[in-house]
């Protein structure tokens, strides 16, 4: 007849234990971990996991015209009960770089080295102000640059935050594809900063991962293509 939250030594009875044996048994939220639940605990006090809602849309960059972070959140709809699965992370942050001020002015195209992030960011990137700079018929304008990575800091491989795990796939000697798309593309030159334009294949170029300034390295440009064709884990975008 008892069912208690959390660990509660007073939530005790005498009878058969769930895992066998007769004697003292408990009906509190910690008995599953301790292995001393009463035999009817599973029915009387079913474990209910934490339930969370869908992720919100990503926010815009915290700062404009410089590498910074964007945020998304989700909220608890049901707290865990009776030793159910705890709640997962409720907030995620990811690197970003916006090229428009809050007033809609173009900015930030003088960044060197090339700033890159996962190609997944392209799906979330907000184009609320880009329409004034990029007409709808040019919305998908862009190109792809293939690079061969020459060196990178060890901080990339150590990155294990959920939003930044893409950095682990950066490896020396690998071919990577980096897409240049609006709004990272300069409206005058129609190029992305750091894309190695006019650089020969022997020139060492520098890049940095947005979201972790310690993850950086060098690469050499191989060629420019109309569309990227690298595997997803080796596909990035200029930011």
């Amino acid at each position: 007849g008892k069912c208690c939250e959390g660990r509660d030594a007073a939530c005790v009875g005498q009878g058969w234990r769930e895992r066998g044996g007769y004697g003292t048994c408990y009906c509190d939220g910690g008995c599953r971990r301790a292995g001393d639940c009463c035999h009817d605990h599973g029915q009387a006090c079913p474990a209910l996991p934490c339930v969370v809602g869908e992720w919100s849309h990503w926010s815009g960059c915290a700062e404009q015209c410089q590498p910074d972070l964007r945020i998304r959140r989700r909220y608890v709809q049901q707290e865990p009960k009776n030793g159910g699965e705890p709640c997962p992370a409720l907030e995620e942050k990811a690197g970003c770089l916006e090229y428009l001020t809050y007033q809609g002015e173009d900015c930030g195209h003088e960044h060197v080295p090339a700033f890159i992030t996962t190609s997944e960011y392209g799906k979330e990137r907000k184009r609320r102000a880009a329409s004034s700079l990029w007409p709808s018929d040019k919305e998908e304008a862009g190109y792809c640059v293939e690079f061969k990575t020459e060196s990178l800091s060890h901080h990339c491989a150590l990155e294990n935050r959920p939003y930044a795990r893409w950095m682990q796939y950066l490896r020396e000697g690998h071919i990577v594809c980096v897409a240049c798309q609006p709004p990272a593309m300069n409206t005058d030159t129609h190029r992305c900063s750091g894309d190695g334009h006019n650089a020969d294949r022997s020139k060492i170029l520098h890049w940095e991962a947005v979201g972790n300034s310690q993850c950086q390295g060098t690469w050499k440009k191989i060629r420019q293509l109309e569309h990227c064709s690298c595997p997803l884990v080796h596909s990035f975008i200029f930011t």
Side-chain angles (χ1 to χ4, degrees), residues 27-95:
C27 312
D28 63 347
C31 72
R32 291 202 176 281
R33 285 189 294 274
D36 54 11
C37 295
C38 295
H39 72 93
D40 62 347
H41 183 266
Q43 287 181 314
C45 314
L48 298 176
C50 176
V51 177
V52 296
E54 295 294 322
W55 285 109
S56 68
H57 291 296
W58 284 103
S59 69
C61 270
E63 295 289 339
Q64 305 301 293
C65 308
Q66 64 184 32
D68 213 289
L69 293 174
R70 58 198 172 109
I71 300 173
R72 68 176 182 175
R73 295 183 175 92
R74 57 186 174 184
Y75 297 93
V76 175
Q77 295 180 338
Q78 174 185 281
E79 295 285 352
K81 292 183 178 180
N82 306 325
E85 284 293 318
C87 294
L90 301 176
E91 181 179 281
E92 282 189 350
K93 297 179 180 179

Side-chain angles (χ1 to χ4, degrees), residues 128-150:
R128 56 191 177 278
S131 58
S132 62
L133 294 171
W134 293 91
S136 57
D137 61 336
K138 292 186 177 179
E139 189 70 27
E140 298 301 325
Y143 57 90
C144 180
V145 184
E146 282 188 0
F147 296 96
K148 182 178 180 181
T149 54
E150 295 289 315

Side-chain angles (χ1 to χ4, degrees), residues 212-229:
N212 181 354
S213 60
Q214 293 182 304
C215 176
Q216 53 183 273
T218 61
W219 55 25
K220 292 180 179 179
K221 179 181 177 180
I222 298 176
R223 58 180 174 168
Q224 179 176 319
L225 303 168
E226 189 173 344
H227 301 290
C228 290
S229 58

Side-chain angles (χ1 to χ4, degrees), residues 73-143:
R73 295 183 175 92
R74 57 186 174 184
Y75 297 93
V76 175
Q77 295 180 338
Q78 174 185 281
E79 295 285 352
K81 292 183 178 180
N82 306 325
E85 284 293 318
C87 294
L90 301 176
E91 181 179 281
E92 282 189 350
K93 297 179 180 179
C96 59
L97 180 58
E98 299 274 358
Y99 283 101
L100 291 170
T101 66
Y102 293 118
Q103 291 73 38
E105 298 171 354
D106 198 5
C107 67
H109 287 283
E110 301 306 315
H111 286 294
V112 175
F115 285 96
I116 63 169
T117 190
T118 170
S119 60
E120 292 295 310
Y121 178 41
K123 298 176 183 177
E124 297 282 353
R125 177 175 257 159
K126 295 182 178 178
R127 303 185 179 190
R128 56 191 177 278
S131 58
S132 62
L133 294 171
W134 293 91
S136 57
D137 61 336
K138 292 186 177 179
E139 189 70 27
E140 298 301 325
Y143 57 90

Side-chain angles (χ1 to χ4, degrees), residues 154-192:
H154 71 281
H155 296 283
C156 304
L158 297 176
E159 184 57 80
N160 59 10
R161 291 173 292 176
Y163 67 83
R165 286 184 184 139
W166 61 270
M167 299 178 195
Q168 296 178 357
Y169 296 101
L170 289 160
R171 296 281 192 277
E172 290 184 12
H174 279 193
I175 304 297
V176 298
C177 293
V178 188
C180 176
Q181 302 168 344
M185 185 187 293
N186 186 290
T187 53
D188 296 323
T189 65
H190 285 225
R191 308 208 67 84
C192 287

